[in-house]
Amino acid sequence: PVLVYIDKITSLLYTIRYMYAVFPVGGLGERMNRLVGERPKPMLPVGGIPILARQLVHFRNAGVTDVILAEGYKSEVIQDYFKDGQAWGVNVHHLDQGIGPSPGERIRLALAEVPETEKDVFVSVGDVLTDVALGGLLKQHREKDSVYTLFTLPPFKIPSGIIMEDFSNGIADFMEKPIIGDGVNSGIAVIQRESYPTIPDGAFFGPMFEMNKTRSGSFKDPDAYWLHAEDEAAYSRMKD
């Protein structure tokens, strides 16, 4: 629809400015050991181009100028490929954190490297492909003065009925193909930089909501596609 197209253009124009994005890309990719091999999972190719490179282009097109890659496993592969980022139209800052830190710790340490002049920062996992309107995400985040705004996907509909058991293993309740929740975590968010010291070790997206319940937002882009290389089957679909 024309209105959606105009909204996406407006969203892109909104973010054409100096801005940072943080990508935690140091994980081992243990669920995809057979495919990952000697490279980090975000460097798996789609159409001959690493997933992470495609993400950087999308964020660059939305106005992001600086990217911090919070690296760990096989960090040299990422560093050798992206170098300073000029070939991709962004300034890439490499932060080799080793293989020990959790996602929350990686993001906290990376955000500490963002200049204090930056109020808001994008945070994204490194193994998804999407065309979400990042400008729209940032616009909503700022208009609501949120600490944390998460791009959320449509809620998950369970394809079969589910049961609830009682203490004697009898069926206490039956729900026919229920829809769970109001949205699903996409792994992409924008946060206020000043909140970074409160980010705990461990997971990131859930704890950020728990700590900022009254100032967290959910951004929906129903026209966006989203693909996540969470396992071999998902990566195969991503390549199709």
Side-chain angles (χ1 to χ4, degrees), residues 2 9 13 23 34 44 53 56-57 69 96-97 102 125 127 140 162 236:
V2 174
I9 294 296
L13 293 175
F23 290 82
R34 187 177 66 85
L44 288 172
L56 262 57
V57 170
L69 300 180
D96 191 345
Q97 302 169 329
S102 64
V125 295
D127 56 355
Q140 176 183 308
I162 65 171
S236 179

Side-chain angles (χ1 to χ4, degrees), residues 14-200:
Y14 183 82
T15 59
I16 297 178
R17 60 173 297 278
Y18 180 82
M19 191 168 179
Y20 273 74
V22 166
F23 290 82
V25 291
L28 296 174
E30 294 175 302
R31 284 176 291 183
M32 298 180 66
N33 282 342
R34 187 177 66 85
L35 292 178
V36 170
E38 295 301 309
R39 57 191 168 192
K41 186 168 70 165
M43 296 301 289
L44 288 172
V46 173
I49 300 173
I51 297 170
L52 182 57
R54 292 183 177 276
Q55 284 184 276
L56 262 57
V57 170
H58 180 53
F59 277 76
R60 178 203 67 196
N61 290 343
V64 168
T65 56
D66 287 74
V67 169
I68 296 179
L69 300 180
E71 303 158 353
Y73 177 69
K74 297 295 180 182
S75 60
E76 67 278 5
V77 175
I78 295 176
Q79 294 168 11
D80 290 345
Y81 187 87
F82 290 103
K83 297 182 171 58
D84 62 3
Q86 295 308 299
W88 301 95
V90 292
N91 301 311
V92 171
H93 309 270
H94 298 279
L95 191 60
D96 191 345
Q97 302 169 329
I99 62 173
S102 64
E105 186 178 3
R106 287 190 189 281
I107 292 168
R108 184 178 68 245
L109 294 173
L111 287 170
E113 301 297 317
V114 176
E116 294 182 4
T117 53
E118 290 296 296
K119 180 181 179 182
D120 303 304
V121 182
F122 285 112
V123 175
S124 175
V125 295
D127 56 355
V128 300
L129 292 179
T130 182
D131 65 347
V132 58
L134 295 169
L137 170 59
L138 180 63
K139 185 173 185 288
Q140 176 183 308
H141 175 80
R142 289 179 170 169
E143 287 178 346
K144 294 181 178 295
D145 192 30
S146 299
V147 172
Y148 170 65
T149 304
L150 177 67
F151 164 43
T152 54
L153 307 168
F156 177 68
K157 182 177 182 179
I158 296 179
S160 298
I162 65 171
I163 65 166
M164 303 296 290
E165 293 184 348
D166 58 24
F167 292 109
S168 63
N169 292 329
I171 296 178
D173 195 10
F174 185 97
M175 291 181 283
E176 185 66 50
K177 299 181 181 179
I179 295 175
I180 305 299
D182 295 314
V184 176
N185 174 23
S186 71
I188 300 173
V190 59
I191 72 170
Q192 289 187 358
R193 178 200 175 274
E194 65 182 13
S195 69
Y196 83 85
T198 66
I199 298 173

